[in-house]
């Protein structure tokens, strides 16, 4: 086993651990002995297991019960029951299928959201190596208690919050708690104390549950477990957050209730009115049933179900998983997109960006380094572990071509780890000629000390490092020394004859597609805000590269001094927030919501989970994201592609547009149907529609309002207009007015035709057939009017939608069948029509289209949001 090979977990190295400061030289430190099994069991019984509380977890039965008791589901069942009582089994079955699928989807989504705390509990309770009864023993993480001595080694997941009392070159990755992409160094405490600092920052003695040991080894005393740990507090916050109720579902429920009440009221009045005036109670009952069917608003929940299910399917094709389908439509109203930096805007892995040796500078976009800058890379490789978890070591390995800087076959002769008084790592290798080569990398100040620079050289060296740091880079300095064969190795690397080789700047690189995606967000009037746990300079650099306004950066320290009112004001003119804690991210989201913004929040770490859940739309990264972030989010980017967010917003706007079109069509088409059921009652004319006619009309309306309008392509300039007003109803006064105008126009034309036909002596069955065909033609005109926001007539025909033309062909086939097959004609109470009658029907349908398209030029500009110039 070579010196750089990680030891088996749970073992400590033979060489001494870092000694806490303040102990007399030559005396061993007093190490905590750990708990006995009896003490541990007693404490476990008193304080509980090392897991998050799960008392509010809902099982599948409770989730199903909460879903089926929703008012929307009750209305769907009521509609199905009415159809069954009317004998309309087909419509009852269709509506029942959609009701069942809607409930199934809701139960599935609710069950998945319950997994968020379960995922967090799994993360907080890995297996742990502890000292019990003086013996190292591996136990389940849930059995860990306060006071346990836990043994940590490279690659271990920290099982609980703890304080280090012995450490050798220990570093942990705390990015899931802080958002920082660089590991932080740990030191031993003297004496061991409870945690008094938050995650993040170098040279602290505290380690935190859920973080990963990427380098070194050591021992720590557990200070907090379960909900009391830092990670557990995030879980508690998650459990307390109640996500925004879906406005879309509430609006649809409101519309359905209103229309249902109107329908029942009109039906209840029409039956006694008709029977009392004419004395034909059977005809009155049939007329009332037809009127009730005409006004029953079952298409509204149908539209909600189909649009959300199909929207989720379309998003899945764009590699976006919709865990809460209501969020799809909400995306169209998003005004602010809050994004994490690490793993969201950036690749979440360190990469070498700059190598500098004197005047020679290499940058990542220049190809492989050469000359003096290649020597910097070679020295950095020799100072790195051959196999390890440290992301900076991995960055040097990734830059080096295979075999370009191969180590000798044997491992390093000697290693000198980091220490509080020398922040540098040194490894010594045996060269081919038998000599020794020492390589060191670390803080520029530490390398300057190793190289014994004079004041002038030191000033120049540190100035160059500062220039790189101002670019948002993590700066490491590299030095090298040669020793003769057989030379004695000193106890400290300070005695080696080091010479400076150069500087290396590392960074977590921006994803290549991010700037274009953010530019498209700006064009869509969506403000992009970056919230990160990283340092202000690094945040400012990444923000500038991405195209985010980085002139003003607000730090977590400043946020901590602000009350909620001050923060609400500050978020209006700041686009970059750095060094933020999880609860501060949550405060920022809430401050934006207090300003009336519709907030979409992206993230991938556990620290992002509370803000993901609190935002109107939480968007998690599916590849690099933690289970906790994914379970707390409404949407998951399966490929970690930031550009997919823009595609999702585009689709959300399209869904909202098409849903409004479908709603307008539903209201418009029901006005003439209900009106034509009332006209005979009011004017003493023969009954025009029987329940069968209404059922056939619904057979046409249902696929048009659901499938046809859902498949409509997006409007031109959809991403060049501002987000819709979040306080505006999906179907408000202007939309209802426009729909009523359409419906009343059709009602007037078709009613006039029916009365004129009867006055001209046309038989009742012929007049009914002509009126029905004309109504169908006018309804198709309504489809063409509503399928495009553009007031241009050709827009209704030019937009590609194969589903529409399939519906048109099916309708034409049905009308033809009702004319050429006598039995079907008798069933419909139709008379035989001629070519002239068909021409009249089609002509009035086209007239409807012309008139409404002309009116649209005057009325419609107030209906949609206008694209920006």
């Amino acid at each position: 086993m070579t010196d750089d090979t990680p030891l088996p977990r749970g073992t400590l190295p033979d060489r001494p651990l870092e000694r806490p400061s303040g102990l007399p030289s030559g005396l061993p430190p007093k190490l905590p002995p750990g708990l006995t099994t009896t003490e541990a069991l007693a404490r476990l019984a008193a304080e509980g297991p090392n897991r998050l509380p799960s008392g509010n977890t809902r099982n599948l039965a409770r989730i199903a019960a909460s879903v089926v008791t929703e008012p929307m589901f009750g209305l769907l069942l009521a509609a199905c029951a009415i159809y069954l009582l009317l004998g309309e089994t087909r419509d009852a079955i269709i509506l029942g299928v959609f009701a069942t699928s809607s409930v199934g989807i809701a139960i599935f989504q609710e069950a998945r959201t319950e997994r968020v705390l379960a995922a967090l509990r799994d993360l907080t309770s890995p297996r742990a190596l502890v000292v019990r009864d003086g013996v190292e023993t591996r136990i389940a993480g849930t059995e860990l208690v306060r006071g346990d001595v836990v043994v940590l080694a490279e690659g271990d997941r920290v099982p609980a919050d703890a304080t280090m009392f012995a450490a050798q070159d220990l570093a942990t990755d705390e990015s899931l708690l802080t958002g920082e992409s660089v590991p932080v160094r740990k030191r031993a405490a003297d004496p061991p104390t409870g945690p008094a600092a938050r995650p993040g920052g170098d040279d602290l003695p505290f380690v935190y549950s859920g973080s990963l040991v990427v380098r070194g080894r050591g021992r720590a005393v557990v200070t907090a477990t379960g909900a009391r740990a830092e990670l557990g507090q995030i879980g508690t916050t998650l459990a307390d957050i109640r996500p925004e109720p879906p406005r879309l579902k509430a609006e649809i429920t409101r519309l359905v209730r209103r229309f249902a009440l109107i329908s029942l009221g009109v039906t209840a009045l029409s039956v006694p009115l008709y029977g009392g005036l004419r004395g034909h109670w059977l005809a009155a009952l049939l007329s009332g049933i037809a009127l009730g069917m005409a006004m029953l608003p079952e298409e509204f929940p149908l539209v909600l179900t189909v649009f959300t299910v199909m929207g989720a399917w379309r998003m899945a094709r764009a590699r976006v998983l919709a865990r809460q389908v209501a969020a799809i439509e909400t995306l169209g109203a998003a005004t602010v997109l809050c994004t994490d930096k690490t793993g969201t805007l950036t690749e979440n892995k360190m990469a070498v960006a700059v190598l500098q040796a004197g005047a020679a500078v290499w940058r990542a976009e220049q190809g492989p380094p050469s000359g003096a800058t290649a020597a910097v890379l070679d020295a950095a490789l020799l100072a790195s572990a051959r196999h390890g978890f440290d992301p900076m070591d991995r960055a040097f390995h990734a830059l080096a071509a295979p075999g370009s800087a191969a180590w000798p076959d044997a491992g390093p002769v000697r290693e000198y780890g980091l220490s509080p008084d020398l922040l540098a790592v040194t490894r010594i290798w045996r060269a081919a000629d038998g000599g020794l080569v020492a390589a060191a990398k670390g803080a520029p100040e530490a390398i300057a000390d190793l190289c014994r620079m004079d004041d002038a050289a030191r000033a120049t060296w540190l100035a160059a490092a500062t220039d790189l740091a101002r670019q948002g880079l993590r700066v490491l300095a590299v030095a090298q020394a040669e020793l003769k064969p057989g030379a004695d190795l000193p106890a400290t690397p300070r005695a080696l004859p080091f010479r400076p080789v150069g500087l290396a700047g590392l960074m977590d690189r921006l994803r290549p597609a991010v700037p274009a995606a953010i530019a498209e967000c700006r064009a869509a009037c969506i403000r992009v805000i970056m919230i990160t746990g990283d340092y202000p300079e690094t945040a400012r650099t990444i923000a500038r590269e991405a195209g985010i306004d980085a002139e003003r950066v607000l730090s977590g320290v400043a946020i901590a001094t602000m009350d909620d009112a001050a923060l609400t004001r500050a978020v209006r003119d700041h686009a970059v927030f750095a060094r933020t804690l999880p609860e501060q991210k949550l405060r920022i989201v809430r401050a934006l919501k207090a300003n009336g913004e519709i907030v979409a929040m992206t993230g991938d770490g556990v620290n992002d989970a509370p803000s993901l859940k609190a935002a109107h739309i939480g968007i998690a990264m599916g590849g690099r994201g933690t289970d906790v972030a994914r379970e707390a989010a409404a949407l998951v980017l399966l490929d970690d592609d930031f550009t997919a967010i823009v595609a999702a917003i585009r689709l959300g706007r399209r869904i909202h547009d098409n849903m409004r079109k479908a709603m307008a069509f539903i209201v418009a088409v029901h006005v003439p149907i209900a009106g034509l059921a009332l006209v005979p009652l009011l004017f003493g004319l023969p009954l025009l529609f029987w329940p069968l006619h209404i059922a056939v009309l619904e057979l046409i309306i249902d696929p048009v309002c659901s499938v046809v309008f859902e498949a409509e392509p997006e409007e031109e300039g959809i991403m060049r207009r501002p987000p819709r007003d979040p306080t505006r109803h999906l179907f408000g006064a202007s939309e209802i007015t426009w729909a009523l105008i359409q419906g009343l126009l059709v009602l007037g034309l078709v009613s006039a035709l029916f009365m004129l036909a009867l006055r001209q002596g046309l038989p009742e069955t012929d007049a009914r057939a002509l009126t029905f065909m004309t109504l169908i033609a006018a309804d198709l005109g309504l489809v063409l009017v509503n399928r495009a926001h553009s007031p241009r007539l050709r827009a209704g025909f030019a937009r590609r939608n194969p589903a529409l033309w399939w519906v048109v062909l099916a309708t034409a086939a049905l009308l033809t069948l009702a004319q050429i097959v006598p039995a079907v004609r008798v069933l419909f109470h139709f008379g035989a029509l001629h070519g002239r009658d068909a021409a009249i029907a089609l002509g009035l349908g086209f007239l409807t289209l012309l008139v409404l398209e002309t009116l649209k030029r005057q009325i419609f500009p107030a209906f949609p949001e206008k694209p920006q110039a």
Side-chain angles (χ1 to χ4, degrees):
M1 179 182 295
T2 59
D3 286 354
D4 69 327
T5 303
L7 294 171
R9 294 186 183 181
T11 61
L12 291 176
D14 294 334
R15 48 186 177 271
L17 293 170
E18 170 199 328
R19 182 188 309 277
S21 59
L23 289 176
S25 177
L27 293 179
K30 183 178 180 181
L31 304 181
L35 302 177
T36 65
T37 301
T38 302
E39 291 172 333
L41 290 175
R43 195 162 289 182
L44 183 65
E47 300 182 357
N50 181 31
R51 65 160 66 100
L52 294 184
S54 55
N56 61 347
T57 300
R58 298 186 300 166
N59 57 28
L60 190 61
R62 293 177 62 186
I63 293 172
S66 67
V67 172
V68 298
T69 54
E70 286 281 334
M72 176 67 73
F73 184 65
L75 288 169
L76 286 169
L77 289 182
C80 290
I82 291 173
Y83 272 121
L84 286 174
L85 291 174
L86 296 174
E88 300 298 329
T89 308
R90 177 196 61 83
D91 293 282
I93 291 174
I94 291 175
L95 198 59
V97 168
F98 280 110
T100 304
S101 63
S102 177
V103 170
I105 291 170
I107 292 175
F108 175 73
Q109 300 296 345
E110 288 284 339
R112 291 201 63 179
T113 59
E114 285 298 318
R115 291 170 50 194
V116 59
L117 291 180
L120 194 56
R121 285 192 294 272
D122 290 341
L123 189 61
T124 57
S125 58
R127 292 188 64 80
L129 187 66
V130 300
V131 178
R132 292 273 177 91
D133 300 314
V135 178
E136 291 184 4
T137 306
R138 194 168 293 278
I139 63 172
T142 55
E143 299 175 7
L144 204 66
V145 296
R146 183 175 52 84
D148 262 324
V149 171
V150 62
V151 181
L152 299 175
E154 185 172 322
D156 282 341
R157 181 74 65 178
V158 179
D161 287 8
T163 301
M164 303 299 303
F165 64 83
Q168 179 183 0
D169 193 16
L170 188 76
T172 62
D173 178 358
E174 298 176 354
S175 60
L176 83 172
L177 292 171
T178 65
E180 295 180 43
S181 56
V182 179
V184 290
R185 298 186 303 270
K186 298 297 178 181
R187 65 173 179 83
D190 178 28
T193 57
R198 302 301 300 273
D202 288 320
D203 298 324
L204 295 174
F206 314 117
V207 290
Y208 300 92
S209 176
S211 59
L212 180 69
V213 179
V214 298
R215 187 178 66 238
R217 48 186 71 85
R219 297 193 180 201
V221 177
V222 173
T223 56
T225 61
R228 294 173 292 275
E230 190 75 24
L231 196 60
Q233 293 174 25
I234 294 177
T236 302
T237 303
L238 274 171
D240 293 339
I241 295 173
R242 293 292 174 263
E244 291 284 328
R247 290 183 67 250
L248 178 61
K249 187 175 181 180
E251 283 202 47
I252 296 293
T253 302
R254 177 178 57 84
L255 285 172
V256 169
R257 284 173 175 168
R258 290 183 179 179
F259 277 90
L261 289 174
I262 293 172
S263 173
L264 291 173
V266 174
T267 301
L269 290 174
S270 67
V271 173
L273 180 61
Y274 191 99
L277 290 176
R278 300 196 183 187
H280 300 292
W281 289 99
L282 179 60
L285 182 60
L286 290 174
S287 175
I289 290 174
L291 184 58
M293 291 178 64
M295 301 186 68
L296 196 66
E298 81 278 4
E299 293 93 355
F300 286 130
L302 177 67
V303 164
L304 175 63
T305 301
V306 171
F307 273 61
T308 52
V309 171
M310 290 299 295
W313 175 74
R314 294 183 188 280
M315 280 200 172
R317 294 179 64 189
R319 304 293 294 164
V320 179
L321 174 64
R323 298 188 63 256
Q324 298 171 13
V325 291
I328 300 173
E329 187 272 341
T330 310
L331 271 173
T335 59
V336 172
L337 174 57
C338 297
T339 174
D340 183 37
K341 179 188 75 69
T342 304
T344 307
L345 295 178
T346 65
E347 297 174 343
N348 197 25
K349 61 180 181 180
M350 298 300 291
V352 181
V354 177
L355 295 174
Q356 183 170 334
V361 178
W362 170 89
R363 297 189 180 276
E365 60 272 13
Q366 296 177 353
S370 60
T373 57
V376 177
L377 175 60
D378 288 343
L381 284 167
L382 289 173
S384 303
R386 183 179 295 180
H387 306 288
F389 291 85
D390 191 300
M392 288 182 285
D393 286 358
R394 290 184 173 186
F396 290 120
H397 290 307
L399 178 59
S404 63
W407 292 268
D409 293 336
V413 176
R414 181 71 180 270
E415 293 183 27
Y416 301 90
L418 286 171
S419 62
D421 60 339
L422 183 62
L423 299 178
V425 175
T426 301
R427 286 182 170 85
I428 300 177
W429 304 81
R430 193 172 302 282
D433 60 0
L436 299 176
V437 177
K441 64 178 174 62
E445 298 87 347
I447 298 301
D449 291 340
L450 286 178
C451 296
R452 304 176 185 83
M453 294 183 182
D454 57 31
D455 291 344
R458 183 185 182 90
T460 303
W461 177 259
L462 296 182
T466 301
D467 288 341
L468 293 179
R470 286 172 180 163
Q471 301 172 33
L473 301 175
R474 179 86 169 196
V475 182
L476 291 178
V478 181
Q480 194 164 312
E482 287 77 27
L483 302 174
K484 295 179 180 180
D488 293 331
L489 297 180
T492 171
R494 294 182 184 275
L496 296 173
F498 279 110
R499 57 177 177 80
V501 178
L503 301 170
L506 298 93
M507 69 180 301
D508 186 6
R509 288 180 180 169
L510 189 73
R511 294 179 184 271
V514 165
I518 290 179
E520 193 165 0
C521 287
R522 284 201 308 271
C525 300
I526 299 171
R527 184 178 167 213
V528 180
I529 291 176
M530 185 172 77
I531 308 174
T532 178
D534 224 326
Y535 291 91
E537 282 303 318
T538 304
R540 181 179 281 110
T541 299
I542 293 295
R544 285 172 177 165
E545 290 183 17
I548 300 173
D549 180 14
E551 291 304 314
R552 305 180 68 185
V553 178
L554 191 63
S555 70
V557 174
I559 294 174
T561 64
M562 296 180 176
D563 58 19
D564 290 342
L567 183 59
T568 300
R569 293 190 297 270
V571 297
R572 295 171 184 165
D573 53 10
H574 285 81
V576 179
F577 298 85
R579 299 299 289 168
T580 55
L581 298 171
E583 61 268 26
Q584 291 173 338
K585 290 188 178 186
L586 183 58
R587 287 188 63 200
I588 292 169
V589 169
R590 287 173 170 166
L592 290 167
K593 292 168 69 175
N595 284 332
E597 307 282 5
I598 299 297
V599 182
M601 172 76 190
T602 72
D604 63 346
V606 174
N607 62 319
D608 299 318
S611 50
L612 287 174
K613 189 175 180 181
H616 294 96
I617 312 115
I619 307 171
M621 298 296 165
R624 298 183 184 275
T626 61
D627 287 343
V628 178
R630 287 193 292 268
E631 294 296 337
L635 303 176
V636 178
L637 306 184
L638 298 179
D639 293 332
D640 289 2
D641 186 357
F642 188 83
T643 59
I645 299 174
V646 180
I649 292 173
R650 180 189 296 272
L651 183 57
R653 291 189 174 191
R654 168 187 165 178
I655 289 172
H656 182 266
D657 281 354
N658 289 345
M659 197 172 290
R660 290 167 67 185
K661 295 173 186 177
M663 297 295 214
F665 173 77
I666 290 171
V667 174
V669 81
H670 274 273
V671 169
I673 294 174
L676 290 172
L678 282 171
V679 164
L681 185 152
L682 298 175
F683 293 96
L685 302 175
L687 286 179
L688 180 57
F689 290 150
W690 301 81
L692 176 64
H693 300 117
I694 305 299
V696 171
L697 287 171
E698 295 292 343
L699 184 65
I700 298 171
I701 293 171
D702 287 354
V704 169
C705 69
S706 57
V707 177
V708 172
F709 280 107
E710 192 285 327
E712 276 297 310
E714 66 187 44
E715 290 288 328
E716 182 180 355
I718 194 171
M719 292 298 284
R720 297 197 310 274
R721 70 188 191 205
R724 71 177 189 275
D725 183 353
T727 62
R728 183 177 184 176
H729 290 299
L730 171 69
F731 202 65
S734 61
E735 290 86 354
I736 292 176
T737 301
W738 173 235
L740 290 176
I741 290 173
Q742 298 177 65
L744 290 173
L745 175 64
V746 173
L747 174 62
L749 288 174
V750 178
S751 298
L753 176 64
F754 179 56
M755 294 179 182
L756 182 61
L758 292 176
R759 182 170 295 183
Q760 293 295 323
L762 209 63
E764 177 185 326
T765 54
D766 290 5
R768 180 179 293 112
L770 176 61
T771 305
F772 189 83
M773 183 177 290
T774 303
L775 178 62
I776 295 294
D779 286 347
L780 293 177
L782 292 180
V783 175
L784 296 174
V785 168
N786 286 285
R787 67 187 297 241
H789 284 168
S790 171
R792 297 188 299 271
L793 179 61
R794 64 180 178 85
F797 294 93
R799 295 165 65 85
R800 185 178 182 276
N801 189 341
L804 170 63
W805 304 115
W806 280 111
V807 170
V808 170
L809 290 175
T811 303
L814 179 64
L815 293 177
T816 303
L817 187 68
Q819 283 295 309
I820 66 176
V821 178
V824 178
R825 192 166 61 241
V826 172
L827 181 65
F828 276 81
H829 303 278
F830 282 172
L833 296 180
H834 304 87
R836 182 189 64 180
D837 300 319
I840 291 174
L842 293 175
L844 287 178
F846 189 70
L847 177 63
T848 301
L849 177 62
L850 286 177
V851 173
L852 290 175
E853 286 291 346
T854 302
L855 289 175
K856 189 193 292 186
R857 296 174 184 272
Q858 304 300 322
I859 297 174
F860 199 77
F863 180 26
E865 296 85 356
K866 296 180 181 179
Q868 299 297 296

